[in-house]
Amino acid sequence: MNKVRKTKELDHYLKNIINKVPDKIENFINNKDGEFSMTYYEGNWAKDVYDNFTEIQAGKIFKRMEKFRDKAKFVQKKLAPFTDAEGIKWTGYEYKVARF
């Protein structure tokens, strides 16, 4: 009997953005002469990570992000809901990191 492999329908554009977030934050923290704060993601961070990666991959992303916890301040702000051209209602958050 052949095993059927379950796969997720991935958003490759979003997956690419998520993969770059830890490096983007690390560069922000290491650039001491840069801006005080930076928006690193807009959407629903945890949901988007789990929707586009396996649990093991998601765990690795969260572990990479955890190492920044003591080096910067993380905040999120709820974005105003909006409706796209197809009539789909969207809502999410703006995720920021700041130096302290």
Side-chain angles (χ1 to χ4, degrees), residues 31-79:
N31 182 4
K32 301 296 182 194
D33 297 327
E35 297 290 324
F36 173 73
S37 68
M38 171 188 75
T39 300
Y40 66 89
Y41 192 75
E42 289 183 351
N44 291 301
W45 174 251
K47 180 182 182 317
D48 292 345
V49 171
Y50 281 119
D51 285 352
N52 287 284
F53 294 90
T54 66
E55 284 190 42
I56 292 171
Q57 291 169 327
K60 289 179 181 178
I61 291 170
F62 292 130
K63 187 171 182 123
R64 283 186 69 198
M65 294 291 286
E66 190 175 315
K67 72 179 183 178
F68 306 126
R69 184 175 43 186
D70 296 333
K71 298 178 182 178
K73 179 77 172 175
F74 290 86
V75 295
Q76 66 186 38
K77 176 180 137 186
K78 188 165 177 107
L79 298 172

